[in-house]
Amino acid sequence: MKLNTINLSDNIEFIKSLPDNSIDAIITDSPYGLGKKQNLVKLLQAWVTTGYYEITGTGFMGKKWDAFVPQPILWKECLRVLKPGGYLLSFFGTRTYHLGSLAIELAGFEIRDCIQWIYGSGFPKSKSCLKPANEPICVARKPGPVQLLNIDECRIEVADNDKGHRPNWEAHSTVKTGNVYGKFDHRITKRLADGRYPTNIIIDEDVAIQMDEQSGISGGDRRTAKFQTGTNGNFTTAKAGQLTPCYNDKGGASRFFYVAKASPSERAGATHPTIKPVKLMTQLVKLYCPEGGVVLDPHNGTGPTCEACLETGRNYIGIDNDPVSQKEANERIKRWHKKQSNTILKETA
Ligand SMILES: C[S@@+](CC[C@H](N)C(=O)[O-])C[C@H]1O[C@@H](n2cnc3c(N)ncnc32)[C@H](O)[C@@H]1O
């Protein structure tokens, strides 16, 4: 298995050449399947029996590859090569998410979550629809031992004014939930100074600004704030007057989410119509693949998943059947290596 390669091939054919249980995570931006509506009854019958239904036509911007979402036949191969307990993440469009995630589930994966990537830069195509502002990411898992996520590597940074501040969490270790959700250990969110626990919403700067305008600014030094008791007695057993654990930072609602947006220079002249920002892919790679592991992207495009792997010490295997995309992805990788060697040269000068 050749690591750190971008392979020009049909994804199913290529994955057939990979050994069983050899991949740590599959993270991919699948075709959203924005082509014509299919005969759902016939499609589902085919998916349940063979995992494949013949699709014709084109999808987004007349692209043939976007005619429909990937089918169970692809995800079955992905299931075979993924390590037990490993994660599969796939972007889908809001209109086709249900079919895309169903195909994954039919192949034998467990659906675990749906991350929402929310942004301000979409534009409405007509007055028959709303301005698009989110793209769902299906989070699925191959059955097997539970793999913990790399939460601490992905915590959302707390504001500068709070750097180095570490409240005494031990003072709060008696705080437990009560009757509603059962007991859970608050120490899971203990490492306050290392940042907030990552959420299943990821937003860009435009949305952060809008969100903060609506939420207003709150926070600040709440180390002296007190728990209230009584009104929701089911929810906390904290005693009246107990100190509130807090991050001691100030700002709007956007503080709770990781902010991601592709920089205009990121395209670097690439012609691909659906380029994903590296910053976003980096957060997903860090969360769902262990350091030093292997990420497979079967819809590699211009390779932001590969760049995210380079950035975070993971290995990649990219597959795309479009030669232009393969070329643009290889150029991206070259640019990354050049930037690295320039930085090293500067540091040693
Ligand atoms: C949504 S795009 C991915 C774009 C990528 N995230 C980026 O930022 O550049 C989907 C990609 O899947 C590729 N693709 C579609 N069907 C494929 C297949 N059967 N085998 C290999 N690649 C395929 C297309 O050529 C396209 O580049």
Side-chain angles (χ1 to χ4, degrees), residues 7-13 28-32 60 63-66 68 70 74 91 266 270 272-277 281 297-305 319-323 325-326 328-329 332:
N7 304 279
L8 180 63
S9 169
D10 173 70
N11 46 24
I12 300 178
E13 287 314 309
T28 195
D29 177 20
S30 293
Y32 288 2
F60 181 62
K63 300 283 178 195
K64 211 164 182 267
W65 55 257
D66 194 58
F68 204 59
L74 168 66
F91 286 79
E266 217 177 296
H272 203 292
T274 64
I275 296 181
K276 289 287 180 291
M281 302 315 293
D297 186 344
H299 306 101
N300 192 61
T302 61
T305 313
I319 315 169
D320 205 294
N321 59 4
D322 168 36
S325 298
Q326 189 207 28
E328 292 180 344
R332 177 197 284 277

Side-chain angles (χ1 to χ4, degrees), residues 311-327:
E311 285 287 328
T312 58
R314 274 77 169 166
N315 297 290
Y316 60 84
I317 298 178
I319 315 169
D320 205 294
N321 59 4
D322 168 36
V324 176
S325 298
Q326 189 207 28
K327 181 174 153 283

Side-chain angles (χ1 to χ4, degrees), residues 76-302:
K76 278 182 190 167
E77 274 308 306
C78 288
L79 187 80
R80 182 185 63 75
V81 297
L82 197 58
K83 292 183 182 169
Y87 288 94
L88 159 68
L89 270 71
S90 175
F91 286 79
F92 288 114
T94 50
R95 278 201 272 142
T96 51
Y97 177 85
H98 60 301
L99 289 171
S101 52
L102 179 66
I104 291 174
E105 199 167 13
L106 282 173
F109 282 91
E110 290 168 10
I111 305 295
R112 300 287 299 170
D113 205 345
C114 174
I115 299 175
Q116 291 289 345
W117 178 41
I118 303 181
Y119 48 82
S121 55
F123 58 92
K125 314 287 176 296
S126 79
K127 280 194 175 170
S128 67
C129 62
L130 297 174
K131 173 180 149 84
N134 74 320
E135 281 169 50
I137 305 164
C138 174
V139 180
R141 186 177 157 272
K142 176 169 173 173
V146 173
Q147 315 267 353
L148 297 184
L149 308 186
N150 299 315
I151 298 297
D152 289 331
E153 213 189 325
C154 300
R155 284 181 182 267
I156 291 111
E157 226 175 282
V158 176
D160 274 355
N161 62 10
D162 194 37
K163 289 271 164 66
H165 167 64
R166 189 184 283 269
N168 177 10
W169 259 91
E170 298 314 319
H172 312 293
S173 59
T174 53
V175 180
K176 297 256 177 22
T177 50
N179 304 336
V180 178
Y181 296 113
K183 287 190 176 171
F184 73 81
D185 189 347
H186 263 276
R187 283 169 300 175
I188 211 166
T189 53
K190 183 175 143 191
R191 299 174 60 194
L192 290 183
D194 293 348
R196 291 193 162 83
Y197 203 93
T199 66
N200 63 1
I201 291 182
I202 299 175
I203 61 177
D204 75 356
E205 285 87 347
D206 291 344
V207 175
I209 291 165
Q210 286 171 30
M211 199 175 237
D212 290 348
E213 276 172 8
Q214 287 175 20
S215 70
I217 301 299
S218 59
D221 188 347
R222 288 162 53 225
R223 272 171 289 178
T224 54
K226 309 279 165 110
F227 266 118
Q228 293 174 351
T229 52
T231 48
N232 187 358
N234 277 341
F235 204 71
T236 176
T237 56
K239 293 193 178 64
Q242 193 169 5
L243 293 183
T244 308
C246 67
Y247 292 90
N248 189 36
D249 67 343
K250 210 173 175 185
S254 71
R255 282 175 300 155
F256 295 92
F257 310 112
Y258 170 74
V259 174
K261 195 172 186 180
S263 73
S265 63
E266 217 177 296
R267 283 191 153 264
T271 53
H272 203 292
T274 64
I275 296 181
K276 289 287 180 291
V278 175
K279 214 174 160 189
L280 172 64
M281 302 315 293
T282 299
Q283 176 79 341
L284 302 178
V285 163
K286 279 199 296 185
L287 268 173
Y288 289 97
C289 179
E291 210 173 341
V294 182
V295 178
L296 173 70
D297 186 344
H299 306 101
N300 192 61
T302 61

